[in-house]
């Protein structure tokens, strides 16, 4: 019982800052500024994998930012989801500025890259999905219609990515992701922004973009009767994170990824218009300065 009460007290009065360890604060002002105080920037891994959308990151993966992400992901510091979501929302907004024309056709859909099932079981939560929900809430609070749509699933087991180089990660993830159930039709409810907590080689985001594009093309191939029903997903009392339980909207598909270029040619429903992450490797920021 004593341990249970201590856990409850830590939720109400956090034991320490997730970035620097300062007592009795979720995130101290200095660490909060490191996480979300700078202007999000376009980042590029080197080498850049084929099919990677334009990616914006809130901060370099170092020091306090690294500590905060690890505290949330590995130590279950769930109160950090809100500030991490705020940082991710900033990166999403930066990406949308470079994908002009995102209009009233539907909310921006934040599609998180899924964690491996074994990792979710071990951690007791899916950190990227939790941050995506917080980011969608922050975007809505600031006037941008947005919704988190956790429709991607791992279709097969993949090896642990740590220790793998860029090519090995690409091979490891090739064909590993797919869209669950009716998720492909839900994707037609608006333009898609892929989100993750961290980008290293970009292999996960490139595979997520491939999976989204393949699912949307499959919906379009089934014909207008399947893909063009009246939009009902967002008026059907669907809650965040429960999208694949509802039937949804349907319009034509477009090119799913605008690759390594700066802007999408169009922003129709189901298109991956960009990607956003909380943090990326410091080298990816350095490359973008040239």
């Amino acid at each position: 019982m004593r341990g249970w009460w201590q856990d409850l007290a830590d939720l109400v009065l956090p034991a320490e800052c997730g970035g620097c360890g300062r007592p009795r604060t979720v995130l101290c002002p200095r660490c909060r500024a490191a996480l979300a105080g700078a202007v999000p920037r376009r980042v590029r891994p080197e080498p850049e994998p084929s099919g990677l959308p334009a990616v914006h990151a809130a901060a370099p993966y170092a020091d306090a930012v690294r500590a905060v992400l690890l505290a949330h992901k590995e130590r279950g510091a769930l109160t950090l989801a809100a500030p991490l979501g705020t940082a991710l929302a900033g990166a999403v907004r930066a990406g949308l500025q470079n994908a002009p024309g995102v209009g009233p056709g539907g909310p921006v859909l934040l599609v998180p890259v899924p964690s491996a099932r074994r990792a979710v079981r071990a951690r007791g939560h899916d950190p990227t999905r939790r941050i995506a929900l917080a980011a969608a809430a922050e975007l809505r609070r600031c006037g941008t219609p947005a919704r988190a749509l956790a429709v991607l699933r791992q279709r097969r087991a993949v090896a642990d990515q740590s220790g793998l180089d860029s090519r090995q990660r690409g091979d490891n993830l090739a064909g590993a992701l797919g869209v669950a159930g009716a998720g492909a039709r839900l994707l037609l409810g608006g333009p898609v922004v892929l989100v993750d907590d961290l980008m290293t080689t970009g292999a996960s985001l490139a595979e997520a973009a491939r999976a989204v594009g393949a699912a949307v093309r499959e919906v379009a191939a089934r014909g207008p009767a399947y893909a063009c029903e009246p939009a009902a997903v967002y008026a059907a009392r669907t809650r965040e994170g429960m999208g694949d339980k509802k039937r949804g909207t349907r319009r034509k598909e477009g090119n799913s990824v605008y690759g390594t270029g700066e802007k999408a040619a169009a922003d129709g429903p189901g298109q991956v218009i960009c990607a956003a992450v909380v943090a990326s490797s410091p080298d990816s920021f350095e490359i973008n300065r040239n």
Side-chain angles (χ1 to χ4, degrees), residues 77-123:
L78 303 185
T79 51
L80 292 171
L84 287 167
T86 297
L88 181 60
V92 171
R93 282 192 290 266
L96 295 178
Q97 289 174 358
N98 287 323
V102 177
V108 175
L109 303 178
L110 306 188
V111 176
V113 175
S115 301
R117 290 174 184 167
R118 61 180 180 276
V120 173
R121 287 195 297 268
R123 294 168 179 152

Short mmCIF file of all heavy atoms in Angstrom, two decimals, residues 77-123:
data_model
loop_
_atom_site.label_atom_id
_atom_site.label_comp_id
_atom_site.label_asym_id
_atom_site.label_seq_id
_atom_site.Cartn_x
_atom_site.Cartn_y
_atom_site.Cartn_z
N ALA A 77 6.73 8.21 -17.07
CA ALA A 77 6.39 9.52 -16.54
C ALA A 77 5.31 10.14 -17.42
O ALA A 77 5.57 10.99 -18.27
CB ALA A 77 7.64 10.41 -16.49
N LEU A 78 4.08 9.71 -17.21
CA LEU A 78 2.99 10.03 -18.13
C LEU A 78 2.60 11.51 -18.09
O LEU A 78 2.00 12.00 -19.06
CB LEU A 78 1.76 9.16 -17.82
CG LEU A 78 2.01 7.64 -17.87
CD1 LEU A 78 0.69 6.90 -17.68
CD2 LEU A 78 2.67 7.23 -19.16
N THR A 79 2.91 12.21 -17.01
CA THR A 79 2.60 13.63 -16.96
C THR A 79 3.41 14.43 -17.98
O THR A 79 3.07 15.59 -18.27
CB THR A 79 2.88 14.19 -15.55
OG1 THR A 79 4.19 13.81 -15.14
CG2 THR A 79 1.86 13.65 -14.55
N LEU A 80 4.46 13.83 -18.52
CA LEU A 80 5.26 14.52 -19.53
C LEU A 80 4.60 14.49 -20.91
O LEU A 80 5.07 15.16 -21.83
CB LEU A 80 6.65 13.88 -19.62
CG LEU A 80 7.55 14.09 -18.41
CD1 LEU A 80 8.80 13.24 -18.53
CD2 LEU A 80 7.91 15.56 -18.25
N ALA A 81 3.52 13.73 -21.07
CA ALA A 81 2.86 13.65 -22.38
C ALA A 81 2.36 15.02 -22.83
O ALA A 81 2.42 15.34 -24.02
CB ALA A 81 1.72 12.64 -22.34
N ALA A 82 1.87 15.83 -21.89
CA ALA A 82 1.33 17.14 -22.27
C ALA A 82 2.40 18.07 -22.83
O ALA A 82 2.23 18.62 -23.93
CB ALA A 82 0.62 17.77 -21.08
N PRO A 83 3.53 18.30 -22.14
CA PRO A 83 4.56 19.15 -22.74
C PRO A 83 5.17 18.56 -24.00
O PRO A 83 5.52 19.30 -24.93
CB PRO A 83 5.60 19.33 -21.63
CG PRO A 83 5.32 18.26 -20.64
CD PRO A 83 3.88 17.96 -20.73
N LEU A 84 5.29 17.24 -24.06
CA LEU A 84 5.78 16.62 -25.29
C LEU A 84 4.79 16.83 -26.43
O LEU A 84 5.18 17.07 -27.57
CB LEU A 84 6.04 15.13 -25.06
CG LEU A 84 7.26 14.79 -24.21
CD1 LEU A 84 7.25 13.32 -23.80
CD2 LEU A 84 8.55 15.10 -24.97
N GLY A 85 3.50 16.74 -26.12
CA GLY A 85 2.48 16.99 -27.14
C GLY A 85 2.50 18.43 -27.63
O GLY A 85 2.30 18.70 -28.82
N THR A 86 2.76 19.37 -26.73
CA THR A 86 2.88 20.77 -27.13
C THR A 86 4.04 20.96 -28.09
O THR A 86 3.93 21.67 -29.10
CB THR A 86 3.06 21.66 -25.89
OG1 THR A 86 1.90 21.55 -25.06
CG2 THR A 86 3.26 23.11 -26.28
N ALA A 87 5.17 20.32 -27.79
CA ALA A 87 6.33 20.40 -28.68
C ALA A 87 6.03 19.79 -30.04
O ALA A 87 6.37 20.34 -31.09
CB ALA A 87 7.54 19.72 -28.04
N LEU A 88 5.37 18.62 -30.03
CA LEU A 88 5.02 17.97 -31.29
C LEU A 88 4.04 18.82 -32.09
O LEU A 88 4.16 18.91 -33.33
CB LEU A 88 4.42 16.59 -31.01
CG LEU A 88 4.02 15.77 -32.24
CD1 LEU A 88 5.21 15.52 -33.15
CD2 LEU A 88 3.38 14.45 -31.82
N ALA A 89 3.08 19.45 -31.42
CA ALA A 89 2.13 20.31 -32.13
C ALA A 89 2.85 21.44 -32.84
O ALA A 89 2.48 21.83 -33.96
CB ALA A 89 1.10 20.87 -31.15
N GLY A 90 3.88 21.99 -32.22
CA GLY A 90 4.66 23.03 -32.88
C GLY A 90 5.33 22.53 -34.14
O GLY A 90 5.37 23.24 -35.16
N ALA A 91 5.86 21.30 -34.10
CA ALA A 91 6.49 20.73 -35.29
C ALA A 91 5.45 20.46 -36.38
O ALA A 91 5.72 20.64 -37.57
CB ALA A 91 7.22 19.44 -34.92
N VAL A 92 4.24 20.04 -35.98
CA VAL A 92 3.17 19.83 -36.96
C VAL A 92 2.81 21.14 -37.64
O VAL A 92 2.69 21.21 -38.88
CB VAL A 92 1.92 19.22 -36.28
CG1 VAL A 92 0.74 19.21 -37.25
CG2 VAL A 92 2.21 17.81 -35.79
N ARG A 93 2.66 22.20 -36.87
CA ARG A 93 2.33 23.50 -37.46
C ARG A 93 3.40 23.96 -38.43
O ARG A 93 3.09 24.51 -39.50
CB ARG A 93 2.12 24.54 -36.35
CG ARG A 93 0.78 24.46 -35.65
CD ARG A 93 0.52 25.67 -34.79
NE ARG A 93 1.41 25.67 -33.63
CZ ARG A 93 1.07 25.18 -32.44
NH1 ARG A 93 -0.12 24.65 -32.25
NH2 ARG A 93 1.92 25.23 -31.44
N ALA A 94 4.66 23.74 -38.08
CA ALA A 94 5.75 24.12 -38.99
C ALA A 94 5.66 23.34 -40.30
O ALA A 94 5.87 23.89 -41.39
CB ALA A 94 7.10 23.87 -38.33
N GLY A 95 5.32 22.06 -40.22
CA GLY A 95 5.16 21.27 -41.43
C GLY A 95 4.00 21.72 -42.28
O GLY A 95 4.09 21.77 -43.51
N LEU A 96 2.90 22.09 -41.64
CA LEU A 96 1.72 22.54 -42.38
C LEU A 96 1.99 23.85 -43.12
O LEU A 96 1.42 24.09 -44.18
CB LEU A 96 0.54 22.72 -41.43
CG LEU A 96 0.00 21.44 -40.75
CD1 LEU A 96 -1.13 21.79 -39.81
CD2 LEU A 96 -0.44 20.42 -41.79
N GLN A 97 2.86 24.68 -42.57
CA GLN A 97 3.19 25.94 -43.24
C GLN A 97 3.89 25.70 -44.57
O GLN A 97 3.81 26.52 -45.48
CB GLN A 97 4.09 26.79 -42.34
CG GLN A 97 3.36 27.37 -41.14
CD GLN A 97 4.29 28.09 -40.19
OE1 GLN A 97 5.51 28.14 -40.39
NE2 GLN A 97 3.73 28.66 -39.14
N ASN A 98 4.58 24.58 -44.70
CA ASN A 98 5.26 24.23 -45.95
C ASN A 98 4.41 23.32 -46.84
O ASN A 98 4.90 22.82 -47.86
CB ASN A 98 6.61 23.55 -45.66
CG ASN A 98 7.63 24.55 -45.16
OD1 ASN A 98 7.66 25.69 -45.61
ND2 ASN A 98 8.45 24.13 -44.22
N ALA A 99 3.18 23.07 -46.44
CA ALA A 99 2.25 22.29 -47.25
C ALA A 99 0.99 23.13 -47.41
O ALA A 99 -0.02 22.89 -46.77
CB ALA A 99 1.93 20.96 -46.59
N PRO A 100 1.05 24.18 -48.23
CA PRO A 100 -0.03 25.16 -48.29
C PRO A 100 -1.32 24.55 -48.82
O PRO A 100 -1.33 23.56 -49.54
CB PRO A 100 0.51 26.22 -49.25
CG PRO A 100 1.48 25.49 -50.11
CD PRO A 100 2.11 24.45 -49.22
N GLY A 101 -2.42 25.20 -48.44
CA GLY A 101 -3.71 24.79 -48.99
C GLY A 101 -4.48 23.83 -48.12
O GLY A 101 -5.52 23.35 -48.50
N VAL A 102 -3.95 23.50 -46.93
CA VAL A 102 -4.69 22.63 -46.02
C VAL A 102 -5.92 23.39 -45.57
O VAL A 102 -5.83 24.37 -44.85
CB VAL A 102 -3.83 22.22 -44.82
CG1 VAL A 102 -4.65 21.37 -43.86
CG2 VAL A 102 -2.61 21.46 -45.28
N GLY A 103 -7.07 22.96 -46.03
CA GLY A 103 -8.27 23.76 -45.86
C GLY A 103 -9.34 23.06 -45.07
O GLY A 103 -9.08 22.16 -44.27
N PRO A 104 -10.59 23.41 -45.32
CA PRO A 104 -11.70 22.96 -44.50
C PRO A 104 -12.25 21.58 -44.87
O PRO A 104 -13.29 21.19 -44.39
CB PRO A 104 -12.76 24.04 -44.75
CG PRO A 104 -12.49 24.50 -46.14
CD PRO A 104 -11.00 24.44 -46.30
N GLY A 105 -11.56 20.84 -45.74
CA GLY A 105 -12.08 19.55 -46.17
C GLY A 105 -12.11 18.51 -45.08
O GLY A 105 -12.75 17.48 -45.21
N GLY A 106 -11.44 18.73 -43.98
CA GLY A 106 -11.42 17.78 -42.88
C GLY A 106 -10.29 18.14 -41.94
O GLY A 106 -9.40 18.90 -42.30
N PRO A 107 -10.31 17.63 -40.72
CA PRO A 107 -9.24 17.94 -39.78
C PRO A 107 -7.93 17.31 -40.22
O PRO A 107 -7.90 16.33 -40.96
CB PRO A 107 -9.74 17.30 -38.47
CG PRO A 107 -10.64 16.20 -38.91
CD PRO A 107 -11.30 16.68 -40.17
N VAL A 108 -6.84 17.88 -39.77
CA VAL A 108 -5.54 17.26 -39.98
C VAL A 108 -5.49 15.99 -39.14
O VAL A 108 -5.83 16.00 -37.94
CB VAL A 108 -4.41 18.22 -39.56
CG1 VAL A 108 -3.06 17.53 -39.65
CG2 VAL A 108 -4.42 19.47 -40.43
N LEU A 109 -5.11 14.89 -39.75
CA LEU A 109 -5.06 13.60 -39.07
C LEU A 109 -3.63 13.29 -38.66
O LEU A 109 -2.75 13.14 -39.51
CB LEU A 109 -5.59 12.50 -39.99
CG LEU A 109 -7.00 12.70 -40.54
CD1 LEU A 109 -7.38 11.56 -41.47
CD2 LEU A 109 -8.01 12.82 -39.41
N LEU A 110 -3.39 13.21 -37.36
CA LEU A 110 -2.08 12.85 -36.84
C LEU A 110 -2.03 11.33 -36.71
O LEU A 110 -2.74 10.74 -35.89
CB LEU A 110 -1.82 13.51 -35.50
CG LEU A 110 -1.98 15.03 -35.42
CD1 LEU A 110 -1.49 15.54 -34.06
CD2 LEU A 110 -1.25 15.73 -36.55
N VAL A 111 -1.19 10.70 -37.51
CA VAL A 111 -1.10 9.24 -37.53
C VAL A 111 0.23 8.84 -36.88
O VAL A 111 1.29 9.04 -37.47
CB VAL A 111 -1.19 8.68 -38.96
CG1 VAL A 111 -1.00 7.17 -38.97
CG2 VAL A 111 -2.55 9.04 -39.57
N PRO A 112 0.20 8.30 -35.66
CA PRO A 112 1.44 7.94 -34.98
C PRO A 112 2.06 6.66 -35.54
O PRO A 112 1.35 5.72 -35.91
CB PRO A 112 1.01 7.75 -33.53
CG PRO A 112 -0.44 7.39 -33.60
CD PRO A 112 -0.99 8.10 -34.81
N VAL A 113 3.38 6.65 -35.59
CA VAL A 113 4.11 5.43 -35.93
C VAL A 113 3.97 4.49 -34.73
O VAL A 113 4.29 4.87 -33.60
CB VAL A 113 5.58 5.72 -36.22
CG1 VAL A 113 6.36 4.42 -36.44
CG2 VAL A 113 5.71 6.64 -37.44
N PRO A 114 3.50 3.25 -34.93
CA PRO A 114 3.22 2.39 -33.78
C PRO A 114 4.49 1.80 -33.18
O PRO A 114 5.47 1.54 -33.87
CB PRO A 114 2.34 1.29 -34.38
CG PRO A 114 2.80 1.19 -35.81
CD PRO A 114 3.15 2.61 -36.21
N SER A 115 4.45 1.59 -31.88
CA SER A 115 5.51 0.85 -31.20
C SER A 115 5.25 -0.64 -31.37
O SER A 115 4.12 -1.08 -31.62
CB SER A 115 5.53 1.20 -29.71
OG SER A 115 5.73 2.58 -29.51
N ALA A 116 6.30 -1.43 -31.22
CA ALA A 116 6.15 -2.89 -31.27
C ALA A 116 5.27 -3.34 -30.10
O ALA A 116 5.32 -2.77 -29.00
CB ALA A 116 7.51 -3.56 -31.18
N ARG A 117 4.47 -4.35 -30.33
CA ARG A 117 3.55 -4.81 -29.28
C ARG A 117 4.28 -5.22 -28.02
O ARG A 117 3.84 -4.96 -26.91
CB ARG A 117 2.72 -5.98 -29.82
CG ARG A 117 1.72 -5.57 -30.88
CD ARG A 117 1.03 -6.78 -31.48
NE ARG A 117 0.14 -6.40 -32.56
CZ ARG A 117 -0.40 -7.26 -33.42
NH1 ARG A 117 -0.13 -8.55 -33.31
NH2 ARG A 117 -1.21 -6.83 -34.37
N ARG A 118 5.43 -5.87 -28.21
CA ARG A 118 6.17 -6.31 -27.02
C ARG A 118 6.68 -5.10 -26.22
O ARG A 118 6.74 -5.14 -24.99
CB ARG A 118 7.34 -7.21 -27.42
CG ARG A 118 8.38 -6.57 -28.32
CD ARG A 118 9.51 -7.55 -28.64
NE ARG A 118 10.51 -6.96 -29.50
CZ ARG A 118 10.43 -6.90 -30.82
NH1 ARG A 118 9.36 -7.40 -31.44
NH2 ARG A 118 11.40 -6.34 -31.54
N ALA A 119 7.04 -4.03 -26.94
CA ALA A 119 7.49 -2.82 -26.25
C ALA A 119 6.35 -2.16 -25.49
O ALA A 119 6.53 -1.67 -24.37
CB ALA A 119 8.10 -1.85 -27.24
N VAL A 120 5.15 -2.14 -26.09
CA VAL A 120 3.99 -1.56 -25.42
C VAL A 120 3.67 -2.36 -24.16
O VAL A 120 3.38 -1.79 -23.10
CB VAL A 120 2.78 -1.52 -26.37
CG1 VAL A 120 1.52 -1.08 -25.63
CG2 VAL A 120 3.06 -0.56 -27.53
N ARG A 121 3.73 -3.68 -24.27
CA ARG A 121 3.46 -4.52 -23.09
C ARG A 121 4.49 -4.26 -22.00
O ARG A 121 4.15 -4.16 -20.81
CB ARG A 121 3.47 -5.99 -23.49
CG ARG A 121 2.25 -6.43 -24.29
CD ARG A 121 2.15 -7.95 -24.33
NE ARG A 121 3.29 -8.55 -25.00
CZ ARG A 121 3.34 -8.82 -26.31
NH1 ARG A 121 2.29 -8.53 -27.08
NH2 ARG A 121 4.40 -9.37 -26.85
N ALA A 122 5.75 -4.16 -22.38
CA ALA A 122 6.81 -3.97 -21.39
C ALA A 122 6.70 -2.60 -20.71
O ALA A 122 6.93 -2.47 -19.50
CB ALA A 122 8.18 -4.12 -22.05
N ARG A 123 6.35 -1.57 -21.49
CA ARG A 123 6.26 -0.22 -20.94
C ARG A 123 4.94 0.06 -20.25
O ARG A 123 4.84 0.94 -19.40
CB ARG A 123 6.45 0.81 -22.06
CG ARG A 123 7.84 0.79 -22.66
CD ARG A 123 7.87 1.61 -23.93
NE ARG A 123 9.20 1.62 -24.54
CZ ARG A 123 9.44 1.76 -25.84
NH1 ARG A 123 8.42 1.92 -26.67
NH2 ARG A 123 10.67 1.76 -26.29
#
